[in-house]
Amino acid sequence: MTKKEIEERKFRPAKQEAKDAAKNLHTPQTMSAAYKLAFQDTDFLLREDLRPIRFQLELLKPELLMNEAKIESTFVFYGSARIPEPDRAQERIDAATTDKEREIAQRLAAKSKYYTEARKLAGIAARYPVDEHGHQNFVVCSGGGPSIMEAANRGAADAEAPSIGMNIVLPHEQAPNVYVTPELSFQFHYFALRKMHFLLRARALAVFPGGFGTFDEMFELLTLVQTGKMKPIPILLFGKDFWTKVVDFEALADEGVIAHRDLDLFTWVETAEDAWSAVCHFYKDDNLMGCE
């Protein structure tokens, strides 16, 4: 809505009404919770009955802000919150107090190469040029947390480009990683709405080794594409050795619970260059910049 359209509106804007409501005289009636404007009454908005409204708000807020930022498409990164960056990989090994802890720390340290690859791939995506209308494509998007997510946002920061972080409220204290663009740092209550926003603008998606959260997000994406509920996009799985150890994809097909062609929904990659090459191949008819 333009400034002129706002000025010509017949009804006073809600922001002004809210400001005026704060000037009310203090009486038993005005001090009652019932008297609060509904959209300013947090206790009212948090009632069980209002869950559909909260769903709508959580869908709408990031959508409006990303529209205003002219984000046309994203490059989404999924992956573990526990894989260390290479420079700190030795710290957890040194901190181990048992042989089992040391073994796990060494395995995580061996995966620190994926922090590097995520950062490099994000840097490549983040350098994708803005179009003549100011629209941004392949904007880096992560869960906003540490490890692989941090690496993605950090790669965008290396390129001096904006990036998105989609945090989720958890029982333990947490904060977005420092590389997320503050104006594109979102916090969600509902996992479902967060996952929807991951995919609404996704033009490519990279999946790095991870745990329950990564599995959840990856398999939901694969299901959406497999069932035709979502158009195919490049789905890039980093770390074939890891994934084939923890998931026997071929066995799923051999058992008949998925089709062998479903294994073509994703592409195995090991490096950032492999991943970007796969994206270029997928969009070969679109003449993507940086794919010469």
Side-chain angles (χ1 to χ4, degrees), residues 264-282:
D264 296 329
L265 294 177
F266 54 83
T267 303
W268 297 114
V269 296
E270 290 296 328
T271 68
E273 292 79 12
D274 290 343
W276 187 250
S277 177
V279 172
C280 290
H281 178 74
F282 189 94

Side-chain angles (χ1 to χ4, degrees), residues 220-231 262 265:
E220 182 163 19
L221 167 61
L222 291 173
T223 301
L224 288 169
V225 177
Q226 180 202 46
T227 56
K229 297 291 284 185
M230 176 177 167
K231 292 180 180 179
D262 292 331
L265 294 177

Side-chain angles (χ1 to χ4, degrees), residues 93 100 102-112 245:
I93 298 174
K100 187 63 176 177
R102 188 170 298 104
E103 181 182 343
I104 291 172
Q106 289 170 340
R107 288 180 177 173
L108 285 171
K111 296 179 183 66
S112 66
K245 179 181 179 181

Side-chain angles (χ1 to χ4, degrees), residues 9 11-19 37 39:
R9 286 191 306 188
F11 299 106
R12 299 177 77 233
K15 186 179 290 187
Q16 183 61 52
E17 291 285 273
K19 189 180 295 184
L37 287 168
F39 56 80

Side-chain angles (χ1 to χ4, degrees), residues 202-246:
R203 198 172 181 187
L205 197 145
V207 187
F208 292 81
F212 289 159
T214 303
F215 274 60
D216 175 41
E217 292 156 349
M218 178 183 75
F219 280 108
E220 182 163 19
L221 167 61
L222 291 173
T223 301
L224 288 169
V225 177
Q226 180 202 46
T227 56
K229 297 291 284 185
M230 176 177 167
K231 292 180 180 179
I233 62 172
I235 302 172
L236 314 162
L237 263 64
F238 279 78
K240 187 174 183 178
D241 288 347
F242 168 82
W243 287 110
T244 54
K245 179 181 179 181
V246 297

Side-chain angles (χ1 to χ4, degrees), residues 145-196:
S147 190
I148 295 298
M149 295 172 278
E150 175 189 282
N153 297 115
R154 188 175 182 178
D158 292 339
E160 299 183 349
S163 69
I164 302 163
M166 296 190 178
N167 256 196
I168 187 83
V169 178
L170 297 174
H172 57 270
E173 186 177 346
Q174 62 158 358
N177 70 67
V178 299
Y179 301 103
V180 177
T181 300
E183 294 77 19
L184 298 173
S185 183
F186 304 113
Q187 183 173 215
F188 290 85
H189 169 54
Y190 298 106
F191 267 109
L193 273 300
R194 179 181 185 241
K195 288 193 283 187
M196 179 173 284

